[in-house]
Amino acid sequence: MKHNVLIIGAGGVGHVVAHKCAQNNELLGDIHIASRTLGKCHAIIESVHDKGSLQQPGQLQAHALDAMDVEATSALIRATRSDIVINVGAPFVNMSVLEACIQTGAAYLDTAIHEDPAKVCETPPWYANYEWKRRQACREAGVTAVLGVGFDPGVVNAYARYAVDHCFDRVDSIDIVDINAGSHGRYFATNFDPETNFREFTSTVWSWENNAWQANAMFERRKEWDMPVTGKTTCYLTGHDELHSMSQNLGVPDIRFWMSFGEHYINVFSVLKNLGLLSEQPVRTARGQTVVPLEVVKAVLPDPASLAPDYTGQTFIGDVVRGRKGGKPEEVLIYNVCDHAACFDEVGSQAISYTAGVPAVAAALLIADGTWDRGTMANVEDLDPRPFIALMNRMGLATRIRDAKGDRLLDPVTQVARKERVAVRANAQ
Amino acid sequence: MKHNVLIIGAGGVGHVVAHKCAQNNELLGDIHIASRTLGKCHAIIESVHDKGSLQQPGQLQAHALDAMDVEATSALIRATRSDIVINVGAPFVNMSVLEACIQTGAAYLDTAIHEDPAKVCETPPWYANYEWKRRQACREAGVTAVLGVGFDPGVVNAYARYAVDHCFDRVDSIDIVDINAGSHGRYFATNFDPETNFREFTSTVWSWENNAWQANAMFERRKEWDMPVTGKTTCYLTGHDELHSMSQNLGVPDIRFWMSFGEHYINVFSVLKNLGLLSEQPVRTARGQTVVPLEVVKAVLPDPASLAPDYTGQTFIGDVVRGRKGGKPEEVLIYNVCDHAACFDEVGSQAISYTAGVPAVAAALLIADGTWDRGTMANVEDLDPRPFIALMNRMGLATRIRDAKGDRLLDPVTQVARKERVAVRANAQ
């Protein structure tokens, strides 16, 4: 049975999602891409054809859509007979797209938390402000919604669940470490939508420590992490989506997120922030125009997609998990390393988009084959991580584990239920 | 005889000009202030009354005016019976205000060169692109126009003329040094209109060296100048208005302009410039708005006028003149030091606005008493500098000279013609 997919958003992640859906269209069926800007959808479709990404001959169609419009989104889901909606649009459209899925019965996936454009960094846990308010509605409608299923949030949640369930008697802390050791060769650029990128760092840094929310300022706490491939890298405590579900779902007292930033990035960011240019609040110019400064900064920065051809180096994303096993302290690192140039060779994207887009398609495959199709709303750590990790190992994102026994591929396939193997088989080209 | 004055522009310099006109209204008569924003004119008038700046009871009136509109400007000159127009508006309105003066016969003064908002840093000499094209029209109409009569351009041109005429047999080089050793206590601010300020530094730095235009990049050439009061300060070769007339009028082979910049200023400026946020060319935001980035930067920065209450420290502006006298090499420094807090005490402004505004009013007084009323267009170095320097000594801007004989007040009053003494007398309170 086919499961047509509607991809909402034609940015860098949408590009990867389209390629990966195409590589699996035997199971997924028709692929529809919708964006406010039709031309961006067409460019992605052209890229999918150029790279020969389609697993078998199939439909790829572009649609103009304002995803804030629930009726228009519902109508498009129906018209395209889509069973699965992969929302990789701006974080402002989550709630309207989710509503359209509830109305139509389509499964819903996204890779980032909902945001109100006029607000930054609301009261934690953030999921409770928006998505979780529709949990009951999903259950009643029997709609599968998997929230935040990119890499982080997403895969790092699955790594945490795997560690809690399979590596420890008791987990004391999880430190998620996100390092981009790549180089794009530009004066300054963000690796995904600048607006979304900066909004992450312009307000309170929320962490989960001693079973409570801890507030810090951005760049207030730093730590050097020595990781495989990327080596010693200075990272900063950062607020991030996954803390807002993992803190509520895993029963682990300390969960923190660390991101690498170079001095140049911090300098540019600090100048822009201190001047007020990262504000989402409109200002009035001397000529009487009302303008949101952050939108202007976005307009002058390079299009993240334009960075891919020259990007070199690797990304590292992983969970450092500490706790006790058999009465002894234990530390386990579960991680992925992704190469920018290899991603570009395969699908024409850099590794930041690639690592965010592949997991969403893996999740779509697990919904299509029934493994994750629970008919309700879930964060990734609510779901069995093993079929997800195993499937991604075969989709270009290999998971490794480093513990007292050494550093090796983590492939939980042998422990996985029958349904997952269907997906893996479907994905084998 | 009274000489009513129309001040165009109600920014920081307009504020100082209004106070100084009021302090001399026995000679100048009625004072009119015009701006696009009527409220800014009213605020200045209120400040003049609060400080008791009026020399004698007199008229102070506010007018709303778009100074790009020649007919409206002519009509206002006629309605207010203004004999002298002091244009301290944006540099974009010079040519329309000058045209209105030519039509009405009023004398014209400004403190900065004309600019086209869509262009930055045109072919030198800049005056030839705009103002000097109307020189013949001024002569035919018998209209007195004194261009660039702030401090720099303006007073530094007079210092150069004084040195050439009275201190040397032959001048080889003039280095104009502009140091702001003050502190406003903000993260970042410009001392006058940010748009005008940044436009000075975003393109080619033109200097006059070996009797030819020399092009450099901003912050490419630096030099430490050790000056009275401010001490050793790192300055950078900068393009500036006065080079574009002095190079043509003085017959001096090397004329350069140096401005002090702190490392923090350079960092912020460089970030903004490298990102494209100082561009005068519109960009289009993702939401479809067309915006000029520089106007948004201006909108988020502090209003320069708001800095004055907390400003401490001094400005230094002077000419380092080198040449030969009596067969020997000679170096003369002619300069002014101005204290931010003292300016605020007197007129409620910081020293940058004060040093720009006082010379324009001194020039208006010299036109009113006939000394500089030549019925044609002139740059400041075309005029006798002695009455100008002498008058400013009595208006709050004292000129000092440092040469082989020491460092002392430069007061050329004894050499000055009768007409200038009238102005000085009129100004004595």
Side-chain angles (χ1 to χ4, degrees):
Chain A
M1 182 197 158
K2 298 289 188 185
H3 297 267
N4 295 348
V5 173
L6 172 60
I7 303 164
I8 292 180
V13 182
H15 179 103
V16 173
V17 167
H19 274 272
K20 285 291 172 181
C21 285
Q23 290 178 7
N24 293 278
N25 75 332
E26 189 180 300
L27 183 60
L28 291 179
D30 297 346
I31 300 161
H32 298 273
I33 311 174
S35 163
R36 276 184 309 204
T37 314
L38 194 62
K40 293 170 75 176
C41 304
H42 284 302
I44 289 175
I45 290 171
E46 195 181 324
S47 166
V48 169
H49 287 304
D50 285 351
K51 290 273 184 190
S53 290
L54 280 166
Q55 186 181 21
Q56 60 178 43
Q59 284 295 313
L60 268 169
Q61 283 180 21
H63 306 268
L65 176 70
D66 172 6
M68 299 290 276
D69 182 339
V70 175
E71 293 315 308
T73 307
S74 294
L76 185 60
I77 293 170
R78 289 192 186 101
T80 57
R81 301 171 187 276
S82 295
D83 298 307
I84 301 172
V85 175
I86 304 180
N87 170 28
V88 287
F92 314 128
V93 306
N94 286 17
M95 295 311 290
S96 52
V97 175
L98 176 59
E99 189 58 37
C101 288
I102 292 169
Q103 286 182 10
T104 58
Y108 172 86
L109 300 170
D110 66 35
T111 63
I113 215 160
H114 183 80
E115 292 182 43
D116 180 331
K119 296 177 184 172
V120 162
C121 208
E122 300 181 66
T123 316
W126 294 339
Y127 282 111
N129 298 322
Y130 298 104
E131 285 88 346
W132 289 351
K133 289 185 173 161
R134 303 301 286 154
R135 193 146 44 181
Q136 183 63 23
C138 284
R139 189 177 297 123
E140 286 167 9
V143 163
T144 295
V146 182
L147 305 178
V149 63
F151 208 103
D152 46 339
V155 178
V156 297
N157 307 45
Y159 289 172
R161 168 55 67 195
Y162 184 86
V164 167
D165 287 357
H166 302 289
C167 306
F168 289 87
D169 299 326
R170 186 191 84 205
V171 171
D172 295 323
S173 69
I174 301 171
D175 288 283
I176 303 162
V177 180
D178 181 335
I179 292 168
N180 178 13
S183 171
H184 51 58
R186 306 294 181 92
Y187 172 76
F188 184 84
T190 56
N191 294 303
F192 52 99
D193 178 31
E195 201 174 347
T196 313
N197 185 264
F198 287 131
R199 285 172 61 100
E200 274 188 26
F201 313 133
T202 45
S203 190
T204 309
V205 169
W206 292 111
S207 296
W208 185 251
E209 295 193 299
N210 291 318
N211 287 308
W213 291 108
Q214 164 75 31
N216 284 97
M218 192 65 207
F219 303 123
E220 184 183 339
R221 287 167 63 185
R222 66 154 82 189
K223 188 171 162 62
E224 189 181 69
W225 289 96
D226 187 2
M227 291 300 172
V229 183
T230 52
K232 287 183 184 173
T233 311
T234 301
C235 295
Y236 294 83
L237 194 74
T238 307
H240 225 242
D241 298 6
E242 51 269 51
L243 305 182
H244 296 263
S245 65
M246 289 166 65
S247 60
Q248 313 301 303
N249 292 333
L250 291 177
V252 172
D254 286 350
I255 311 180
R256 288 167 292 252
F257 186 93
W258 303 88
M259 190 175 276
S260 70
F261 291 93
E263 284 181 22
H264 177 62
Y265 183 100
I266 295 173
N267 179 46
V268 171
F269 175 86
S270 301
V271 165
L272 294 176
K273 180 170 187 298
N274 283 322
L275 292 180
L277 284 166
L278 300 185
S279 174
E280 77 289 355
Q281 298 296 327
V283 297
R284 205 173 156 79
T285 70
R287 280 170 188 69
Q289 214 177 4
T290 300
V291 184
V292 173
L294 180 52
E295 293 178 7
V296 180
V297 171
K298 172 175 171 172
V300 300
L301 289 182
D303 176 359
S306 72
L307 307 174
D310 305 315
Y311 229 124
T312 56
Q314 286 84 27
T315 60
F316 167 97
I317 318 175
D319 292 17
V320 179
V321 187
R322 294 186 177 121
R324 297 190 75 83
K325 172 86 172 178
K328 288 192 297 190
E330 174 94 6
E331 177 180 309
V332 172
L333 169 67
I334 309 178
Y335 70 97
N336 166 265
V337 170
C338 192
D339 185 82
H340 287 291
C343 297
F344 186 71
D345 282 349
E346 183 193 334
V347 299
S349 298
Q350 30 82 336
I352 318 275
S353 300
Y354 190 89
T355 53
V358 171
V361 179
L365 290 166
L366 293 178
I367 291 170
D369 77 2
T371 309
W372 273 11
D373 191 16
R374 305 204 316 175
T376 186
M377 177 182 284
N379 289 89
V380 174
E381 68 274 18
D382 296 324
L383 302 164
D384 185 351
R386 294 170 299 174
F388 185 49
I389 292 169
L391 178 54
M392 285 187 296
N393 280 345
R394 288 149 192 78
M395 290 178 71
L397 287 183
T399 293
R400 297 186 68 83
I401 186 166
R402 186 182 74 183
D403 57 16
K405 287 178 262 178
D407 186 317
R408 62 204 179 276
L409 185 73
L410 173 64
D411 198 345
V413 70
T414 53
Q415 307 155 345
V416 173
R418 185 198 58 81
K419 281 181 178 170
E420 191 276 326
R421 288 198 295 276
V422 175
V424 172
R425 196 166 59 243
N427 188 55
Q429 293 185 52
Chain B
M1 185 196 158
K2 298 289 188 186
H3 298 267
N4 295 347
V5 173
L6 171 61
I7 303 163
I8 292 179
V13 182
H15 179 103
V16 173
V17 167
H19 274 272
K20 285 291 173 181
C21 285
Q23 290 177 7
N24 294 278
N25 75 331
E26 190 180 299
L27 183 60
L28 292 180
D30 298 345
I31 300 162
H32 298 274
I33 311 174
S35 163
R36 275 186 309 206
T37 315
L38 195 61
K40 292 170 76 177
C41 304
H42 284 303
I44 288 175
I45 290 172
E46 195 181 325
S47 165
V48 169
H49 287 304
D50 285 353
K51 289 273 182 190
S53 289
L54 280 165
Q55 186 181 20
Q56 61 177 42
Q59 284 294 313
L60 270 168
Q61 284 179 22
H63 306 269
L65 175 70
D66 172 5
M68 299 289 276
D69 181 340
V70 174
E71 293 315 307
T73 307
S74 294
L76 185 59
I77 293 170
R78 289 193 185 99
T80 56
R81 300 171 189 275
S82 294
D83 297 308
I84 301 171
V85 175
I86 304 180
N87 170 27
V88 286
F92 315 129
V93 305
N94 285 17
M95 295 310 290
S96 53
V97 175
L98 176 60
E99 190 57 37
C101 288
I102 292 170
Q103 286 182 10
T104 58
Y108 173 85
L109 300 170
D110 66 35
T111 63
I113 216 159
H114 183 80
E115 292 182 42
D116 181 330
K119 297 178 184 173
V120 163
C121 209
E122 301 182 67
T123 316
W126 294 339
Y127 281 111
N129 299 323
Y130 298 105
E131 285 87 346
W132 288 351
K133 289 184 173 162
R134 302 301 286 152
R135 194 146 44 179
Q136 183 64 23
C138 284
R139 188 176 298 124
E140 285 167 9
V143 163
T144 295
V146 182
L147 305 178
V149 63
F151 209 104
D152 45 338
V155 179
V156 298
N157 307 46
Y159 289 172
R161 168 56 66 194
Y162 184 86
V164 167
D165 287 357
H166 303 288
C167 307
F168 290 87
D169 299 328
R170 187 191 82 206
V171 170
D172 295 323
S173 70
I174 301 171
D175 287 283
I176 303 163
V177 180
D178 180 335
I179 293 168
N180 178 14
S183 169
H184 51 59
R186 306 294 181 89
Y187 173 74
F188 183 83
T190 55
N191 293 303
F192 52 101
D193 178 34
E195 201 174 346
T196 313
N197 185 264
F198 287 132
R199 284 171 62 99
E200 274 189 25
F201 314 133
T202 44
S203 190
T204 309
V205 169
W206 291 112
S207 296
W208 185 253
E209 294 191 300
N210 291 318
N211 286 309
W213 291 109
Q214 164 76 31
N216 285 97
M218 194 63 209
F219 303 123
E220 184 183 338
R221 286 167 65 186
R222 66 154 82 190
K223 187 171 163 62
E224 190 180 67
W225 289 96
D226 187 1
M227 290 300 171
V229 183
T230 52
K232 286 183 184 175
T233 311
T234 301
C235 295
Y236 295 82
L237 194 75
T238 308
H240 225 242
D241 299 5
E242 52 269 51
L243 305 181
H244 296 263
S245 65
M246 289 166 65
S247 60
Q248 312 302 303
N249 292 333
L250 291 176
V252 172
D254 285 351
I255 312 180
R256 289 169 291 253
F257 186 93
W258 303 88
M259 190 175 276
S260 70
F261 292 94
E263 284 180 20
H264 177 63
Y265 183 101
I266 295 172
N267 180 45
V268 171
F269 175 86
S270 301
V271 166
L272 294 176
K273 181 169 187 298
N274 283 322
L275 293 180
L277 285 166
L278 300 186
S279 173
E280 76 290 354
Q281 299 296 327
V283 297
R284 204 173 157 80
T285 70
R287 280 170 188 67
Q289 212 177 4
T290 300
V291 185
V292 173
L294 180 53
E295 293 178 8
V296 180
V297 171
K298 173 176 170 171
V300 300
L301 290 182
D303 177 357
S306 73
L307 308 173
D310 305 316
Y311 229 124
T312 56
Q314 286 84 28
T315 61
F316 166 97
I317 317 175
D319 292 17
V320 179
V321 186
R322 293 184 179 124
R324 297 190 75 82
K325 172 88 173 176
K328 288 192 298 190
E330 174 94 6
E331 178 180 308
V332 171
L333 169 67
I334 308 178
Y335 71 98
N336 167 264
V337 169
C338 192
D339 184 82
H340 287 291
C343 296
F344 186 70
D345 282 347
E346 183 193 334
V347 300
S349 297
Q350 28 83 334
I352 317 276
S353 299
Y354 191 89
T355 53
V358 172
V361 180
L365 290 166
L366 293 178
I367 291 170
D369 78 1
T371 308
W372 273 12
D373 192 16
R374 306 205 315 178
T376 188
M377 178 183 282
N379 290 89
V380 175
E381 69 274 19
D382 295 324
L383 302 164
D384 184 352
R386 293 170 300 173
F388 185 48
I389 293 169
L391 178 53
M392 285 188 296
N393 280 346
R394 287 149 190 80
M395 290 179 70
L397 287 182
T399 293
R400 297 186 68 82
I401 186 166
R402 186 182 74 182
D403 57 16
K405 285 178 263 175
D407 186 318
R408 63 204 178 276
L409 185 72
L410 173 64
D411 199 344
V413 71
T414 52
Q415 307 155 344
V416 171
R418 187 197 57 80
K419 280 179 179 173
E420 192 274 325
R421 286 197 297 273
V422 176
V424 173
R425 194 166 59 241
N427 188 56
Q429 291 186 50

